Amino acid sequence: MFSGNEIGIDLGTANVLVYSKKEGVILDEPSVVAIDNQTKQVLAFGHEAKAMIGKTPEKITVVRPLKGGVIADFDMTTEMLKQIMKKINKQSGISIRKPNVIVCAPSGATSVERRAIEDVVKNSGAKAVHLIEEPVAAAIGADLPVDEPIANVVVDIGGGTTEVAIISFGGVVTYNTIRIGGDKMDDDIMQHVRKTYNLLIGERTAEQIKMEIGHALVDHPEQTIEVRGRDLVTGLPKTVILSSYEIQESLRDSLLQILETIRATLEDCPAELSGDIVDRGIVLTGGGALLQGMQEWLSNEIFVPVHLAPNPLQSVVVGAGRSLQFINKMTADAAK
């Protein structure tokens, strides 16, 4: 059985969040690590490391150890988690030694990827590791009645993936995953600026453009933003003004693929649950859900109500933390 020493971890492509039963969300940092190439030591992680992206000397490399929702660099992810555990012990005054951890895994993760997640968390000092499927965690975190026999549709638009799942009776009935999320949208913006203006901009600038003037495919009053980057022809710094209309156009393909994934999942839905979806609609979670006009655009396209989770960025980790009680219940039932 679990003791009070329990935490939930959302190992996201863009952010790592940690939830403790007593304190709620105790850590929310970008999944970024800066390492010294010679000593292989971690110099910084989280916000500190993210601020270094594209600005470091040769001897320092900034890496994002998670890609597409799964672990791309095992050692770096382990190091990052060790740093996270240290930071939690330091800042929150909670002593988390050998915690029991529940960690989120994408629905489409292979058994090898799931094992990698378990191993990484164990190597960073956890006593026991339980995996929960991300959409189920997101649904619990968004206050949906997941253990009832009704359809709960969750669209989790994360940094590396978008997961669409229909959940009923505490499990995933049908799901689809697509490796398109916030990172792909940033990339779309970088490519657009490069092709149209011969201007090279970095990830952080692209993310800022997306957050400030990015829109889903809805009508909106035009917004503009001034962007600085390096001119690919002259090699000199240059400033351009971007319009929200051209950014919207650059995101079109990725958004349509997300829409297609939602449609495909709804088409796979058992007939008995379809009626619930018409009444209850779908719930958006993840950072991508915050793109301006996303809710309005999706409800126009799929003709069912679209709701935004109370806290889209934290839904998954809050659900992971809350699911500890379900796991306690399950282990108790199994022991009977």
Side-chain angles (χ1 to χ4, degrees), residues 38-60:
Q38 288 153 347
T39 62
K40 297 292 177 216
Q41 272 186 315
V42 174
L43 301 174
F45 83 97
H47 293 292
E48 234 179 289
K50 191 176 182 180
M52 295 177 169
I53 291 177
K55 300 178 182 176
T56 56
E58 271 179 26
K59 67 176 194 127
I60 298 171

Side-chain angles (χ1 to χ4, degrees), residues 294-331:
M294 193 66 150
Q295 207 174 341
E296 183 194 335
W297 172 60
L298 284 176
S299 58
N300 291 342
E301 294 289 338
I302 56 177
F303 310 113
V304 298
V306 176
H307 312 286
L308 197 60
N311 189 340
L313 288 166
Q314 295 186 350
S315 295
V316 173
V317 76
V318 169
R322 286 188 190 159
S323 70
L324 290 164
Q325 64 201 46
F326 292 103
I327 284 203
N328 280 342
K329 210 163 109 185
M330 289 187 312
T331 33

Side-chain angles (χ1 to χ4, degrees), residues 25-48:
V25 177
I26 49 177
L27 183 123
D28 180 354
E29 296 266 2
S31 318
V32 186
V33 187
I35 48 168
D36 184 316
N37 294 334
Q38 288 153 347
T39 62
K40 297 292 177 216
Q41 272 186 315
V42 174
L43 301 174
F45 83 97
H47 293 292
E48 234 179 289

Side-chain angles (χ1 to χ4, degrees), residues 221-286:
E222 186 179 16
Q223 295 167 284
T224 56
I225 188 171
E226 193 177 86
V227 172
R228 296 179 179 86
R230 176 160 61 88
D231 189 315
L232 286 164
V233 180
T234 64
L236 300 172
K238 181 169 107 175
T239 304
V240 296
I241 305 283
L242 299 178
S243 149
S244 56
Y245 294 154
E246 58 180 309
I247 297 304
Q248 184 182 42
E249 197 48 45
S250 72
L251 298 176
R252 178 178 291 274
D253 280 356
S254 291
L255 290 168
L256 289 175
Q257 286 186 58
I258 289 172
L259 175 64
E260 205 37 59
T261 309
I262 296 172
R263 282 198 175 129
T265 312
L266 295 179
E267 281 166 16
D268 288 345
C269 178
E272 292 293 337
L273 292 174
S274 289
D276 294 339
I277 297 172
V278 174
D279 296 338
R280 299 169 54 79
I282 67 175
V283 173
L284 297 178
T285 69

Side-chain angles (χ1 to χ4, degrees), residues 95-138:
S95 174
I96 296 183
R97 298 206 181 286
K98 292 272 177 198
N100 290 309
V101 177
I102 184 149
V103 68
C104 304
S107 295
T110 62
S111 53
V112 173
E113 289 166 343
R114 284 168 187 267
R115 174 62 57 82
I117 294 171
E118 282 185 15
D119 290 348
V120 151
V121 178
K122 276 207 171 129
N123 288 352
S124 66
K127 182 172 150 198
V129 181
H130 289 264
L131 293 188
I132 179 172
E133 289 182 323
E134 230 158 85
V136 176

